[in-house]
Amino acid sequence: MKALLVCEYREGKLLDTTYELLAFADRIGAEKAMVLIGSDSALPACNSTVYLAEAAKYGEYNPDVHKKIVLDAVQRENADCIVFVHSSYGWDLAPRVAAALRAGQVSEIVGVVDGGYEVGCCNAKMRRAVTPTSGKAVLTVQAGAFSFTGTPQGTPKVERIDIPDGATPVEFVGYEPAEKKDVDLTRAEVIVSAGRGVGKKDNIPVIQALAKALGGELGASRPVVDAGWVDHSHQVGTTGQSVSPKLYVACGISGAIQHLAGMKKSDFVVAINKDKDAPIGEVADVLVVADVMQFVPALTAKLQ
Amino acid sequence: MKILVCVKQVPDMESRFKPDGSGTWFEETDLAFRMNEYDEYAVEQAVQLKEQLGNEPEVTVLSIGPDRVNEAIKKALAMGCDKGAHIQDPAPQGKDPWQIASIIAQYARTEGFDLVFTGMQSQDRGSAQVGVLVAELLGFACATTLVGFAFADGVVTAKRELEGGIKGVAKLRLPAVVTCQLGLNIPRYPTLPNIMKAKKKEILAIPVADLLKEEAVAATARFYPPARKGGGIVLEGDVGNLVEQLYGILKEKTTVLR
Ligand SMILES: Cc1cc2nc3c(=O)[nH]c(=O)nc-3n(C[C@H](O)[C@H](O)[C@H](O)COP(=O)(O)OP(=O)(O)OC[C@H]3O[C@@H](n4cnc5c(N)ncnc54)[C@H](O)[C@@H]3O)c2cc1C
């Protein structure tokens, strides 16, 4: 089987997640080739062929143009499967490539099992084994699920891709930087985070009080931030901050992958959740099965 | 302008899931269903656009599934959509994203929509494919994971969410499909008068066989709980006891109480 791995490039740099694609290709025992819409200065270290199109010419991300470039590489390589990271780049581009090839797509693969590729479902509480039934397959792999160990090495054989210019209905305008953070959670030793299970904005002070009693900072999951209960600077996760405190207390947080991505480096994790099956239980050193609004004030009182 | 919003009905994610008889999906008995969270942002954005344009656009809400999905359609109507299209399918879970997208595209093609809103993914299957596939099948422009939406002079300005809080800004000419993400807006609650008004709105029922022309390109072999790596301690019982137990553990296993 031949796999075409689609590299990620943003603001002039190759993204590290690209190497996870190599780890995945090894896991499925595929021959590897890569495609990069980037520049010579950002080639991945590997011993494979890398099809290179210049981002300077085609734009860092124009989905319709990138689709054409990937399809060109698929054809030149005669790849059986096309692999992306399940990221903002991958999930946007992969289905476009799949549609053009009439290929089955399997999204956000976390493992390879009997019966196909393993993917999470039902908010990570369950799994499915999925198999593409088409000639070619498009796959996106969960960031972090196939870690690349060791230092990337090798010099790729570069093949240039040049495609005819054409009008596209999507115009990439540019990037907006992340909002400035007033709270630096990355240095906090203790973080007590509020999730949607906290119920309402009025309950946030209860979580804040526990954070204070433990000498830590208040964190939050995304819905809590989006609802305006807590400022964005407290958000933990892929689109928030990545933290590594000595103690992380997750209050009413289910443990969606995007939240876990931001807190799994914590030394010790306590989760308070009324649902014993919540996926946060997988990463928690202690799962307290309780109602947050009953348990948290009682714990705070004990600490004081 | 004609706008389409696609919504899926999904189980409450706090439920317990177990495989059904086929072993490829969950058993539905005892589950409470609601509108997919991401689709609520899609409905809200479509209704906001309708309001922005002086209520001129007609907004149709579409859902594929058994009779119960009418509840999700009715909620969208109560939030301000104009009419519903119920694609009757007793077993949508047996179809892959390509087939689901082809059903939607087939319907959209005959109705001539200018703008399609979907959620970025469903909470149960999470494939994040359907919206983009619909766009590809229709030959529409598309942007995914919107956390910002503006419309002026036939052009959508989409703010896409990228990793680490960075946003990518793109402009799309109609016709277009956009997929919506948490944080795009705050979905309104249907008010009682609007729920009453919604009862009078039309819901077309279309058998799925009329629209499905495509074979599946992927199959689910199994549905099962994740292998528990476990290791962690699970504490249950009386709150007072739990506090004592956790306090003891924190003292013993961490340095934060010293
Ligand atoms: C592209 C993308 C990026 C994202 N980025 C982030 C990110 O950076 N950070 C992030 O957090 N999320 C992010 N998300 C969202 C993520 O997928 C989840 O939706 C989110 O993390 C869920 O937050 P939650 O756990 O607070 O809420 P829910 O998933 O709704 O969970 C609430 C939990 O509270 C429990 N609960 C309810 N009531 C009580 C009670 N009374 N007592 C105790 N427990 C209770 C429930 O059992 C449940 O487990 C992102 C999603 C996408 C698609």
Side-chain angles (χ1 to χ4, degrees), chain A residues 196 221-222 235-239 252 254 258-259 273 292, chain B residues 181:
Chain A
R196 181 145 51 189
S221 72
R222 174 157 183 167
Q235 186 176 312
V236 173
T238 35
T239 44
S254 65
Q258 296 89 356
H259 189 80
N273 201 303
V292 262
Chain B
Q181 160 72 329

Side-chain angles (χ1 to χ4, degrees), chain A residues 8 10-11 15 61 63-64 67 86-89 91-92 95-100 102-108 113-116 118-134 169-179 181 189-190 196 214 222-223 226-228 232 238-240 246-247 258 268 270 272 274-279 281-282 284-290 294-295 298-299 302-303, chain B residues 11 13-19 24-26 37-38 41 96-98 120-121 123-129 132-133 135-137 139-145 147 157 159-173 175 181-186 214-237 239-240 242-244 246-247 249-250 253-257:
Chain A
E8 289 203 44
R10 187 174 306 143
E11 295 187 292
L15 303 192
Y61 191 45
D64 299 287
K67 174 178 75 178
H86 193 76
S87 59
S88 60
Y89 184 67
W91 69 58
D92 192 89
R96 302 178 199 256
V97 171
R102 269 181 169 270
Q105 178 180 328
V106 186
S107 304
E108 203 166 13
V113 291
D114 220 26
E118 179 171 47
V119 302
C121 58
C122 300
N123 206 13
K125 284 181 134 180
M126 299 298 287
R127 294 278 188 272
R128 289 189 306 142
V130 187
T131 35
T133 52
S134 49
V170 178
E171 179 204 338
F172 177 72
V173 181
Y175 298 110
E176 255 181 35
E179 283 170 48
K181 296 176 175 62
E189 297 215 328
V190 175
R196 181 145 51 189
L214 285 166
R222 174 157 183 167
D226 286 340
H232 180 263
T238 35
T239 44
K246 286 189 178 149
L247 174 65
Q258 296 89 356
F268 199 83
V270 174
I272 300 142
K274 63 178 186 185
D275 179 3
K276 196 178 168 180
D277 296 329
E282 277 299 300
D285 295 282
V286 182
L287 171 66
V288 179
V289 184
Q294 286 173 13
F295 181 80
L299 179 63
K302 166 85 186 171
L303 290 165
Chain B
M13 288 303 135
E14 287 170 29
S15 317
R16 281 215 130 147
F17 296 96
K18 50 178 197 282
T24 58
W25 199 229
F26 48 74
E37 184 181 352
Y38 299 92
Y41 307 110
D96 69 346
W98 172 251
M120 80 150 290
Q121 62 183 13
Q123 289 172 283
D124 55 358
R125 196 123 75 161
S127 299
Q129 295 177 27
V132 189
L133 291 175
E136 291 296 302
L137 284 162
F140 283 19
C142 176
T144 57
T145 342
V147 289
T157 302
K159 214 180 268 185
R160 294 190 61 224
E161 179 175 78
L162 313 180
E163 288 69 24
I166 301 171
K167 295 180 181 95
V169 183
K171 287 193 186 295
L172 289 78
R173 208 168 294 285
Q181 160 72 329
L182 249 78
L184 174 61
N185 52 44
I186 297 181
E214 292 286 334
E215 297 282 326
V217 287
T220 302
R222 275 192 304 134
F223 176 86
Y224 53 99
R228 292 271 168 211
K229 286 174 227 97
I233 308 166
V234 179
L235 303 178
E236 280 180 281
V239 169
L242 291 175
V243 167
E244 292 303 325
L246 181 62
Y247 187 82
I249 294 171
L250 291 179
K253 301 261 171 81
T254 73
T255 52
V256 300
L257 297 188

Side-chain angles (χ1 to χ4, degrees), chain B:
Chain B
M1 190 196 289
K2 284 184 84 175
I3 298 173
L4 178 67
V5 192
C6 304
V7 304
K8 182 176 183 180
Q9 207 191 28
V10 297
D12 188 324
M13 288 303 135
E14 287 170 29
S15 317
R16 281 215 130 147
F17 296 96
K18 50 178 197 282
D20 65 6
S22 74
T24 58
W25 199 229
F26 48 74
E27 175 61 53
E28 280 196 13
T29 359
D30 303 333
L31 295 182
F33 283 83
R34 44 164 292 180
M35 191 191 292
N36 178 44
E37 184 181 352
Y38 299 92
D39 304 345
E40 290 190 17
Y41 307 110
V43 172
E44 176 62 34
Q45 204 57 53
V47 173
Q48 282 187 17
L49 178 60
K50 177 184 166 78
E51 290 165 350
Q52 179 199 327
L53 299 178
N55 286 320
E56 179 273 318
E58 184 188 55
V59 183
T60 302
V61 53
L62 173 154
S63 190
I64 304 171
D67 288 344
R68 62 170 160 74
V69 308
N70 272 302
E71 290 310 313
I73 293 177
K74 281 181 196 154
K75 179 170 182 189
L77 293 175
M79 287 170 75
C81 294
D82 298 300
K83 64 182 202 184
H86 171 204
I87 316 297
Q88 298 168 305
D89 185 354
Q93 69 273 19
K95 300 188 176 58
D96 69 346
W98 172 251
Q99 288 178 302
I100 296 290
S102 75
I103 293 165
I104 296 169
Q106 187 68 21
Y107 177 76
R109 214 173 269 130
T110 51
E111 294 288 314
F113 293 102
D114 305 288
L115 186 51
V116 181
F117 289 88
T118 72
M120 80 150 290
Q121 62 183 13
S122 62
Q123 289 172 283
D124 55 358
R125 196 123 75 161
S127 299
Q129 295 177 27
V130 170
V132 189
L133 291 175
V134 167
E136 291 296 302
L137 284 162
L138 293 172
F140 283 19
C142 176
T144 57
T145 342
L146 263 65
V147 289
F149 175 95
F151 179 81
D153 308 323
V155 176
V156 171
T157 302
K159 214 180 268 185
R160 294 190 61 224
E161 179 175 78
L162 313 180
E163 288 69 24
I166 301 171
K167 295 180 181 95
V169 183
K171 287 193 186 295
L172 289 78
R173 208 168 294 285
L174 298 191
V177 177
V178 292
T179 81
C180 305
Q181 160 72 329
L182 249 78
L184 174 61
N185 52 44
I186 297 181
R188 68 193 71 192
Y189 285 107
T191 59
L192 193 59
N194 286 341
I195 293 171
M196 299 315 287
K197 252 193 257 165
K199 287 194 198 296
K200 297 201 193 79
K201 294 180 181 172
E202 175 191 22
I203 302 179
L204 287 160
I206 305 155
V208 69
D210 292 1
L211 298 171
L212 179 65
K213 314 278 181 228
E214 292 286 334
E215 297 282 326
V217 287
T220 302
R222 275 192 304 134
F223 176 86
Y224 53 99
R228 292 271 168 211
K229 286 174 227 97
I233 308 166
V234 179
L235 303 178
E236 280 180 281
D238 163 70
V239 169
N241 262 330
L242 291 175
V243 167
E244 292 303 325
Q245 289 182 54
L246 181 62
Y247 187 82
I249 294 171
L250 291 179
K251 247 195 135 111
E252 190 191 329
K253 301 261 171 81
T254 73
T255 52
V256 300
L257 297 188
R258 276 171 220 149

